[in-house]
């Protein structure tokens, strides 16, 4: 009797939390999986774990899936959740809604290998106010961004402990900023040609947290030319 009672109590403890949240329906046409051996591309994912902006989604999509047309996501009604696991693994992501908070965790298989795998899932926001406790309306970088124009000396081919560098920097007035070139082959080639020389960069500046480098200032490049 006691054993049956204890089993019933344990089952209730497991089921109760699940009953408090409702699983969100995911349209299979807005559920995208991919993998890449280039760990540098992982840095393009927002720390928040979701995207609520069309321009940010476009940048991420073009970097991660450059050979595919940008899908139509209505960010007035939807939010894109991002799940990432290390290695060329499958990614499992099952979103749910609990007290106006969209909740999810990313899990994956355990195949060893280079790079990372990801899953992008678009879900309707409905009355949700947050994702995993982070406000949907808040700036996803945590610090916002600033449009800048910088004329300074470019250096490319850089490396850092833990891979905490984009590999390219620009220095002006004694201040050095990293340059995020993404998968733009033209920008990468030009940065190599201009390495050690003066260049002009236009882009958006943001601050990211790191491990070895506690604070990193990064310019996502929108235009790169030799300085006149």
């Amino acid at each position: 009797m006691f054993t049956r009672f204890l089993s019933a109590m344990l089952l209730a403890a497991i089921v109760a939390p699940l009953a408090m949240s409702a699983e969100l329906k995911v349209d299979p046409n807005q559920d995208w999986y991919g993998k890449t051996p280039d760990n540098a591309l992982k840095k393009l994912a927002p720390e928040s774990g979701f995207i609520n902006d069309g321009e940010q989604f476009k940048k991420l999509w073009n970097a991660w899936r450059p050979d595919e047309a940008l899908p139509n996501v209505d960010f007035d009604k939807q939010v894109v959740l991002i799940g990432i696991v290390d290695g060329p693994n499958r990614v499992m992501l099952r979103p749910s809604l609990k007290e106006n908070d969209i909740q999810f965790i990313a899990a994956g298989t355990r195949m060893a290998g280079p790079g990372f795998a990801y899953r992008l899932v678009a879900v309707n926001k409905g009355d949700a106010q947050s994702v995993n406790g982070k406000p949907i309306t808040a700036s996803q970088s945590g610090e916002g961004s600033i449009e800048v124009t910088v004329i300074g000396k470019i250096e490319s081919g850089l490396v850092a402990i833990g891979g905490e560098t984009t590999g390219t920097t620009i220095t002006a007035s004694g201040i050095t900023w990293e340059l995020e070139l993404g998968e733009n082959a033209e920008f990468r080639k030009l940065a190599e040609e201009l390495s050690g020389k003066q260049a002009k960069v236009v882009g958006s500046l943001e601050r990211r947290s790191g491990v070895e480098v506690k604070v990193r200032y990064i310019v996502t490049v929108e235009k790169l030319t030799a300085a006149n």
Side-chain angles (χ1 to χ4, degrees):
M1 178 68 72
F2 178 76
T3 301
R4 289 200 298 271
F5 174 75
L6 181 59
S7 298
M9 291 296 291
L10 289 174
L11 180 60
I14 294 172
V15 173
L18 297 177
M20 295 174 64
S21 59
E23 185 173 336
L24 293 178
K25 182 179 180 181
V26 176
D27 184 338
N29 294 317
Q30 292 191 299
D31 184 353
W32 306 279
Y33 163 79
K35 55 186 177 181
T36 173
D38 188 353
N39 268 319
L41 294 179
K42 188 191 299 185
K43 301 173 184 177
L44 298 178
E47 295 180 6
S48 64
F50 69 92
I51 289 178
N52 191 39
D53 174 80
E55 283 302 313
Q56 188 178 23
F57 181 61
K58 180 180 178 180
K59 289 180 180 179
L60 186 69
W61 183 273
N62 289 340
W64 286 7
R65 306 172 75 90
D67 298 327
E68 298 182 30
L70 182 71
N72 182 31
V73 178
D74 185 353
F75 284 100
D76 289 333
K77 300 178 181 179
Q78 296 175 293
V79 61
V80 174
L81 312 179
I82 306 171
I84 295 176
V85 298
D86 291 330
N89 290 288
R90 299 298 301 180
V91 183
M92 291 157 278
L93 190 158
R94 180 174 294 177
S96 62
L97 181 64
K98 180 180 178 181
E99 297 178 354
N100 291 336
D101 180 46
I102 296 174
Q103 301 178 350
F104 75 95
I105 59 173
T109 52
R110 297 184 178 182
M111 182 183 302
F116 68 99
Y118 62 86
R119 190 169 170 190
L120 306 174
V121 176
V123 297
N124 290 329
K125 290 184 286 188
D127 295 327
Q129 301 297 315
S130 59
V131 175
N132 284 342
K134 299 175 182 178
I136 290 176
T137 56
S139 170
Q140 295 174 349
S141 67
E143 299 292 339
S145 64
I146 304 171
E147 292 296 315
V148 296
T149 298
V150 186
I151 299 177
K153 182 180 178 181
I154 275 193
E155 297 287 348
S156 66
L158 305 176
V159 295
I161 297 174
E164 287 189 330
T165 178
T166 61
T168 308
T169 63
I170 188 167
T171 301
S173 300
I175 302 174
T176 299
W177 293 333
E178 294 181 58
L179 299 181
E180 180 59 74
L181 304 175
E183 288 297 286
N184 191 308
E186 182 180 347
F187 284 169
R188 290 185 175 278
K189 180 180 179 181
L190 186 55
E192 292 176 1
E193 294 175 351
L194 293 175
S195 186
K197 302 176 182 178
Q198 294 289 305
K200 180 179 179 180
V201 169
V202 178
S204 57
L205 174 67
E206 64 176 304
R207 186 173 77 171
R208 297 181 192 171
S209 300
V211 178
E212 296 294 334
V213 181
K214 298 301 182 183
V215 179
R216 301 169 60 198
Y217 288 93
I218 301 174
V219 178
T220 298
V221 177
E222 298 170 3
K223 185 177 181 181
L224 172 60
T225 57
N228 295 328

